Amino acid sequence: MQTTKFVYWEEDCAWLGYLQEFPSYWTQGDTLEDLKAHLKDLYAELTGGGLTGVRRVGDLAVA
């Protein structure tokens, strides 16, 4: 099973979050499990190759 990290928090009776690799793309859910389902859908959209201009975070070795 593949995994990815995500950041999440509860605010005003909603769960908000984003995929750590794609911090510009937020989503929300009514519960933490609902948020996770939305994040899975978002991941599929962002990595599916159908979108252009997707911003990502990466690592760069400089030394």
Side-chain angles (χ1 to χ4, degrees):
M1 174 189 296
Q2 182 178 351
T3 64
T4 189
K5 294 187 183 290
F6 67 100
V7 178
Y8 67 98
W9 62 98
E10 188 177 13
E11 185 174 307
D12 296 329
C13 298
W15 288 87
L16 305 169
Y18 59 88
L19 301 163
Q20 197 169 37
E21 183 180 354
F22 304 99
S24 297
Y25 305 92
W26 289 21
T27 189
Q28 67 182 31
D30 294 328
T31 64
L32 181 56
E33 289 306 312
D34 187 37
L35 172 63
K36 288 179 182 180
H38 288 280
L39 288 167
K40 288 178 184 179
D41 291 342
L42 182 60
Y43 183 84
E45 285 185 45
L46 294 171
T47 60
L51 299 176
T52 60
V54 174
R55 296 176 301 275
R56 298 179 110 139
V57 172
D59 292 319
L60 177 67
V62 294

